[in-house]
Amino acid sequence: MNKAYILKNEARKADSPQDLVRLKEIYPALLKASMISAKAEKYFDEINSKEAINMLINEYLEPKGDNFADELTYRYLLSEGDSFGGHMRNVIGNMSEWNLKSMLISAFELYEIDYHYYHNNKWNPPDSQSDIYRKAKGFAWSKDDSGRTLMFNINVPFLEGNGKNVDVCLYNCHHKNFSFRGKKDNPPTNSEKELYLCLGELKGGIDPAGSDEHWKTANEAISRIRKAFSDQKKRPAIFFAGAAIVETVAKQMWSQLESGELTNAANITNKDHLSSLCSWIISL
């Protein structure tokens, strides 16, 4: 893990992703972040190595803008595989949420929507800091003279079972009406179900072998959400976004989209999917 911190600090010395190749000290780490294993590297000549690193820079680092050092660190951690155990799984899970937040911020900026983000127990206007996507627990904006408050990892008190935390909740209320007591969230209650506009489940696991299990877990959570709102005439939209979606899972998701059980779905590693999902969320 310490190697990843050192890599991030070294990468921050570069003014742009293209400048990383000039930092000879991290060249081996760049190759590793390009998913070139030590075994495979033996068969790579200088030209092949440069091509792999250029692909890493162009496909993954450049699109992240000022956050390219974070993305490089993430790619490096991926190359380390299971050696980081639970920490690695947490990083991957966080990246899915961070990608969604980052795309939401881009959408706010493109549509010129004034927004606030929730951090340190208060609502803050956007600032020059580049890591809002990592700090924000939620976002708030206005739409058609109404307030919109979107929160991550929020407790929905009237859900049955142990899984009461929902990855994403969008409320039809002003952020000033959304209160917190210390670290405990205070979302709308059972008598205020009509304030829930949208609920979503995120699964960041990137191993295709675990796709079915991730979908099974998310689908169980989605079923609890549907049941909790079954007494409402107007039910909230529900979406699922996963990082690894195999064909069998995609077919099940498509079936639920056709039946209306799911309102939207996306592969969170696909930027077209992710941008479409974020535009849809903001439109609600």
Side-chain angles (χ1 to χ4, degrees), residues 41-263:
E41 188 180 341
K42 297 177 182 178
Y43 303 97
F44 272 59
D45 57 23
E46 186 177 353
I47 294 176
N48 296 142
S49 298
K50 286 183 177 180
E51 287 179 351
I53 291 175
N54 284 334
M55 182 175 292
L56 167 72
I57 291 172
N58 296 330
E59 295 291 326
Y60 298 104
L61 306 188
E62 285 281 6
K64 289 299 180 179
D66 293 338
N67 301 314
F68 68 86
D70 290 334
E71 182 68 14
L72 172 61
T73 307
Y74 164 60
R75 294 283 158 188
Y76 179 80
L77 285 170
L78 285 181
S79 72
E80 290 289 320
D82 290 334
S83 62
F84 285 100
H87 176 81
M88 185 62 204
R89 288 188 291 274
N90 289 338
V91 169
I92 292 172
N94 286 338
M95 282 301 300
S96 292
E97 186 176 300
W98 293 344
N99 284 342
L100 179 60
K101 291 176 182 177
S102 180
M103 190 66 79
L104 278 169
I105 291 170
S106 296
F108 291 141
E109 293 174 350
L110 176 69
Y111 301 138
E112 297 185 345
I113 294 174
D114 292 329
Y115 73 94
H116 285 70
Y117 69 97
Y118 193 80
H119 175 62
N120 281 342
N121 294 325
K122 64 179 181 179
W123 290 97
N124 309 274
D127 47 47
S128 59
Q129 298 183 47
S130 61
D131 61 345
I132 291 176
Y133 71 98
R134 289 195 297 177
K135 299 188 300 185
K137 179 179 171 60
F139 295 103
W141 66 98
S142 296
K143 178 177 173 57
D144 300 331
D145 298 324
S146 297
R148 293 289 185 269
T149 302
L150 185 147
M151 302 302 298
F152 291 87
N153 299 313
I154 200 80
N155 180 281
V156 178
F158 48 82
L159 286 185
E160 292 184 0
N162 296 323
K164 296 193 175 190
N165 264 40
V166 177
D167 294 330
V168 184
C169 283
L170 175 65
Y171 303 98
N172 181 19
C173 69
H174 196 279
H175 66 275
K176 291 181 180 179
N177 298 327
F178 201 103
S179 62
F180 289 83
R181 300 187 182 99
K183 293 185 178 180
K184 296 294 183 180
D185 52 73
N186 186 34
T189 62
N190 190 61
S191 62
E192 302 168 305
K193 284 184 181 179
E194 72 279 357
L195 297 180
Y196 288 81
L197 288 178
C198 176
L199 300 94
E201 286 291 314
L202 304 177
K203 289 298 175 185
I206 60 172
D207 183 4
S211 179
D212 287 303
E213 191 61 34
H214 291 317
W215 167 245
K216 179 181 177 182
T217 304
N219 199 25
E220 289 173 353
I222 289 169
S223 295
R224 288 196 296 270
I225 292 171
R226 283 197 292 262
K227 184 176 180 180
F229 288 91
S230 61
D231 61 335
Q232 298 292 107
K233 292 182 179 179
K234 186 177 181 181
R235 300 176 187 178
I238 301 175
F239 76 85
F240 170 73
I245 301 175
V246 297
E247 184 176 356
T248 53
V249 171
K251 288 180 179 178
Q252 294 178 53
M253 290 167 57
W254 184 255
S255 176
Q256 290 198 20
L257 286 168
E258 289 187 316
S259 68
E261 295 172 274
L262 273 180
T263 319

